[in-house]
Structure formats: C-alpha cells, structure tokens
Amino acid sequence: MARWEPDAQARLQNAALELVARQGFERTTAAEIAEAVGLNRRTFFRHFPDKRDVFFAGQDQIEADLVAGVTGAPPGESPMGLVGLALARAADTFAHLPREQARARQAIIDAEPALLERERQKFAVLARSVGDAMRERGVADLEATLAAESGVLVFKTAFTQWLADGESRSLPLIIAETMAALRALYVTR
Amino acid sequence: MARWEPDAQARLQNAALELVARQGFERTTAAEIAEAVGLNRRTFFRHFPDKRDVFFAGQDQIEADLVAGVTGAPPGESPMGLVGLALARAADTFAHLPREQARARQAIIDAEPALLERERQKFAVLARSVGDAMRERGVADLEATLAAESGVLVFKTAFTQWLADGESRSLPLIIAETMAALRALYVTR
C-alpha cells in the first residue's frame, strides 16, 4: 500500500456510507471504516477531525463555491444578485453529483441526531461565511445576513427536492426554480 | 416548602442563569440548580428533560404563538401574510420580555456548543411546525417551507438585533423592520 493516498478521502467516505448504512452510525467505528479500505485509524482522523465529518467533506466545497460566487461578482451587484451568483457557482460544481449516493448519505444523516446536528451546524457556518463575504463587499450588516441566510435556505430546500424519490430535474434547475418561488412569495404580497 | 410549586420552572431558570454565568455550563449540575431554589434533582427533570432545556423553555411559547398566528388567520391569506400574522403574534407575547435577562441567557448559549446546538434544533422545529400549519391550510409544500423558514429567519435575526448593546427599539418594531428589509431585497431585484 503506497504511503501517499491521493484518493484516501473519497475511499473512506464510500466505506463509511456502506458500513453505516448496514450497521448504523453508533456501531461503526472510525478504525473499522479505515480498515475496510486498508488504512488505519490515524489516517482516518488525519482526513476527518471526528467520525461525523466523513459525511460532510463536500460542505467545504459548497462553502468555497458560494463565497467565490460573492467575491468574484462584478462591482455594484445587489445583495440578491450576489446570492444568485453564489448559488449558480455552487450548483455548477454539484451538477454532476451522483444522486443515488447523495440519497444514501442523506438517509444516514436523517436517521442520526448527531449527524443532523452537524448538518445544521455546517449550514449555519455556510450562511455566516457568505454573509461575511457580502459585508466585505460593503453590503450592510442586516441585508448581508438576510440575503446570505436566504441563499442557504434556497440551497438547502433545493437539495432536499433534488433528493426526493422520482425527482428528475437537475440541481441547478431546482435551485433556480426555488429561488424564483421564494421571490414570488415576496413580490406577490 | 409547599409541595405544589407553581413558579418552580421560573425559579429554576433564574437559578440556572446565575449559576451557569458564574461557573460555566459543564460545571453546573441540574442538582445544584435545583438545590439553589430549595428543590431536588428529580423536580428539575420533571420540568426540563435535560440540563440544556432550562434555557429554552420560552421556545415552546414562541412555537405556540407562531402556529396560532397561522391557524387563526382569515381564509385566503397569502403565505407571506400568514408569516406576518405569525410573527405579530409571537412579537406580542415577547413585547415585555426583560432585555437584560435575555442578554444574559444568550451570552451563556453563545459560549457553549451544546446549547448552540440545542438552539439550532429548536429553530428547525419551529420552522417545521409553522410550515406544517401552513400546509394544513392548503399552502403548497415548497411555498410553505420557504415562507416558514423565512419567518423563522426574520424572528431569529430580529431577536439578535434586539439583544445588541445600545439597542432600544422594541422587539415587535425590529421584527416589522427586519421583515421589510427582507422583502426589499427581493422587490429591488
């Protein structure tokens, strides 16, 4: 086994999905996940600070995408324009995410309070980072918070729809339609 | 000490605020909080299922208010109209909440990950309950989710502003202004 493991992280994530789906989160140890792909416990914790993180590695990419969408926007863009660009950037990265695997992951998260808690924490961090990126562009504090939280709400709601049984629309399309539905709620009344 | 303790819950909450502010959340036991007001550990757990809940008893009232605002609305009200009525109802109950005590409570929550986690969970439950109340009125699933989450976002953001140093506006006024700021984000663009 080579010492340098370029895809160790992805292999650990796949093994975790499979083992936890079969035997539950509590009963699956980090050592066991690592062993399933020929690695050891220490290597696991080099990639994931705690056992829950193996299901959330993708969130760092979402965060980077959303923030890049805000920081890379042309000057003078409105707060909701920034949200639109942030979501478009994130949607692009996830356009090719395998839906079946994402469903398996979400089923595991929904069944385990410790994972649901981590998911909520990650979304809170996401909203905070996007809001900070907006404040750095000079968006007022309140508007930045509301716009960033709205953006994360749209992403979260769109992602849930994308995972639903029988859903065939792409994530980018669902994000755009969810954003339009949210806007319509405000514009109508 | 009378066996019937009509205000036991409030006394336990006050004692918890004081003890935890002084010695931290981890180092304060439920038994100690109970003892401080002449009650025992069992009585504490009759009022609060776990030690964290002593800081969140008010959330049940917020939930009841928000839901009552939705269920009591006149027929044909739009989703955002329902949100407005739900928030107005909650704001009314909290119009006389003592700000200093609420600040002390929030400082404790912000300093303790286990309490922050519980707070996020409570807000998630709030959004779910308000959304369910809307769905029962016939609001479509996606619109109910987006409107309810927006309402909770407004409440959360307004509450944070209300707690800020030097803030003197009432909570109902801040809620109304935050709602207007959110709407303006969508209407402007």
Side-chain angles (χ1 to χ4, degrees):
Chain A
M1 179 79 37
R3 259 183 129 155
W4 188 60
E5 292 288 346
D7 61 347
Q9 183 157 322
R11 286 160 53 216
L12 287 166
Q13 288 176 284
N14 289 334
L17 275 178
E18 201 182 298
L19 284 166
V20 170
R22 204 164 58 215
Q23 60 196 31
F25 180 72
E26 278 308 325
R27 281 157 62 174
T28 306
T29 66
E32 201 176 352
I33 297 166
E35 210 170 278
V37 293
L39 298 170
N40 61 34
R41 194 175 167 283
R42 244 183 65 206
T43 308
F44 181 94
F45 286 113
R46 206 155 57 223
H47 288 279
F48 308 105
D50 96 27
K51 197 176 76 178
R52 297 181 293 182
D53 293 310
V54 69
F55 296 106
F56 296 101
Q59 295 270 5
D60 293 343
Q61 186 58 47
I62 302 178
E63 184 175 354
D65 287 336
L66 291 171
V67 168
V70 172
T71 56
E77 193 55 79
S78 72
M80 288 315 293
L82 294 174
V83 168
L85 290 167
L87 288 171
R89 182 78 86 108
D92 202 48
T93 298
F94 286 86
H96 303 292
L97 193 68
R99 198 176 323 220
E100 272 316 313
Q101 192 180 327
R103 278 185 183 133
R105 170 184 167 276
Q106 196 65 44
I108 288 171
I109 292 172
D110 290 344
E112 173 58 46
L115 294 174
L116 271 175
E117 170 210 326
R118 175 58 53 97
E119 186 179 54
R120 281 191 290 260
Q121 186 197 333
K122 290 271 182 179
F123 278 122
V125 169
L126 231 57
R128 157 70 52 183
S129 301
V130 173
D132 286 347
M134 289 193 185
R135 278 179 276 270
E136 265 172 48
R137 287 181 63 104
V139 176
D141 186 40
L142 177 60
E143 277 70 22
T145 299
L146 293 172
E149 293 274 5
S150 298
V152 171
L153 166 59
V154 167
F155 183 81
K156 208 167 57 172
T157 309
F159 195 73
T160 303
Q161 292 171 80
W162 181 71
L163 292 175
D165 279 345
E167 178 62 63
S168 62
R169 291 172 297 164
S170 72
L171 186 53
L173 177 59
I174 299 177
I175 287 176
E177 294 189 357
T178 303
M179 190 75 191
L182 182 57
R183 184 182 314 241
L185 287 179
Y186 288 93
V187 175
T188 313
R189 182 194 156 118
Chain B
M1 178 76 38
R3 262 182 126 159
W4 190 58
E5 293 287 344
D7 62 348
Q9 182 157 323
R11 286 159 56 216
L12 288 167
Q13 287 176 284
N14 289 334
L17 275 178
E18 203 182 296
L19 284 166
V20 171
R22 204 163 60 216
Q23 60 197 28
F25 180 74
E26 277 308 326
R27 280 157 63 176
T28 305
T29 66
E32 203 176 354
I33 296 166
E35 212 171 276
V37 293
L39 297 170
N40 61 35
R41 195 175 165 281
R42 243 183 66 206
T43 307
F44 181 95
F45 286 114
R46 206 155 55 222
H47 288 280
F48 307 106
D50 97 29
K51 197 176 74 177
R52 297 181 294 182
D53 294 312
V54 69
F55 296 106
F56 295 101
Q59 296 269 6
D60 292 343
Q61 186 58 48
I62 302 177
E63 184 176 353
D65 287 336
L66 292 171
V67 168
V70 172
T71 56
E77 192 57 78
S78 72
M80 288 315 292
L82 294 174
V83 168
L85 290 168
L87 288 171
R89 181 79 84 111
D92 203 48
T93 299
F94 286 88
H96 303 292
L97 193 68
R99 197 174 326 216
E100 272 318 313
Q101 192 180 327
R103 278 185 182 130
R105 170 185 167 276
Q106 196 65 45
I108 287 171
I109 292 171
D110 290 343
E112 173 59 45
L115 293 174
L116 272 174
E117 169 210 327
R118 175 58 53 98
E119 186 179 54
R120 281 191 291 259
Q121 187 199 331
K122 289 270 181 179
F123 279 122
V125 169
L126 232 56
R128 158 70 51 183
S129 300
V130 173
D132 285 348
M134 289 193 186
R135 278 179 277 268
E136 264 172 49
R137 287 180 64 102
V139 176
D141 186 41
L142 176 62
E143 278 69 22
T145 299
L146 293 172
E149 292 275 4
S150 298
V152 171
L153 166 60
V154 167
F155 183 82
K156 209 167 58 174
T157 310
F159 194 74
T160 304
Q161 292 171 79
W162 181 70
L163 292 176
D165 279 345
E167 177 62 62
S168 62
R169 290 173 299 164
S170 72
L171 186 53
L173 177 58
I174 300 177
I175 287 175
E177 294 188 359
T178 303
M179 191 73 194
L182 182 57
R183 184 181 315 240
L185 288 177
Y186 287 93
V187 174
T188 314
R189 179 191 157 119

